[in-house]
């Protein structure tokens, strides 16, 4: 019988995390989310990442990212990648981009038949007041 790859990978990650946390006295108290992740990975492998609540996953990712990791530590690097992937899978997707607004053109006007005329300053002021107040209002 072949061992489950997710469980095997999780155990390697848990061992690497354990060794790192063992280096500093009190690390598990200072980094409780990583301590919990260490235990969960050892017990259930990387499949556990799908069951951890999103806020806890984010905290685990932040705690791990704050530590100086050896570039050669493949299990911890893989854990960083899998944590980030689990977070991205669970976060709400960004809203789709809003389409650019269309230029305003009243439906009763045909762009090819717009007539432009000059008006006096008083007619312009009256038209501006109607635009502010709305039609049917004013003096």
């Amino acid at each position: 019988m072949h061992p489950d790859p997710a469980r095997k990978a999780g155990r390697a990650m848990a061992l690497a995390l354990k060794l790192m946390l063992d280096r500093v006295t009190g690390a598990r108290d200072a980094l409780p989310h990583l301590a919990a992740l260490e235990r969960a990975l050892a017990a259930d492998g990387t499949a556990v990442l799908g069951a951890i609540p999103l806020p806890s996953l984010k905290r685990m990712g932040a705690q791990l990212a704050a530590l100086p990791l050896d570039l050669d530590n493949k299990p911890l690097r893989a854990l960083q990648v899998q944590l980030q992937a689990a977070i991205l899978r669970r976060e709400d997707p960004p809203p789709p981009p809003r389409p650019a607004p269309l230029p305003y053109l009243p439906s009763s006007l045909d762009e090819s038949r717009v007539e432009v005329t000059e008006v006096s300053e008083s007619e312009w002021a009256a038209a501006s007041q109607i635009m502010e107040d709305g039609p049917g209002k004013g003096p």
Side-chain angles (χ1 to χ4, degrees), residues 37 49 57 60-61 64 78-88:
L37 181 58
L49 296 175
L57 279 177
M60 291 167 178
L64 189 59
L79 177 57
Q80 279 184 315
V81 169
Q82 289 204 20
L83 269 173
Q84 190 62 37
I87 291 167
L88 291 174

Side-chain angles (χ1 to χ4, degrees), residues 2-15 41-47 75:
H2 296 285
D4 178 15
R7 186 174 295 267
K8 184 177 178 182
R11 287 191 176 148
M13 292 173 188
L15 177 60
L41 287 169
D44 299 318
T46 57

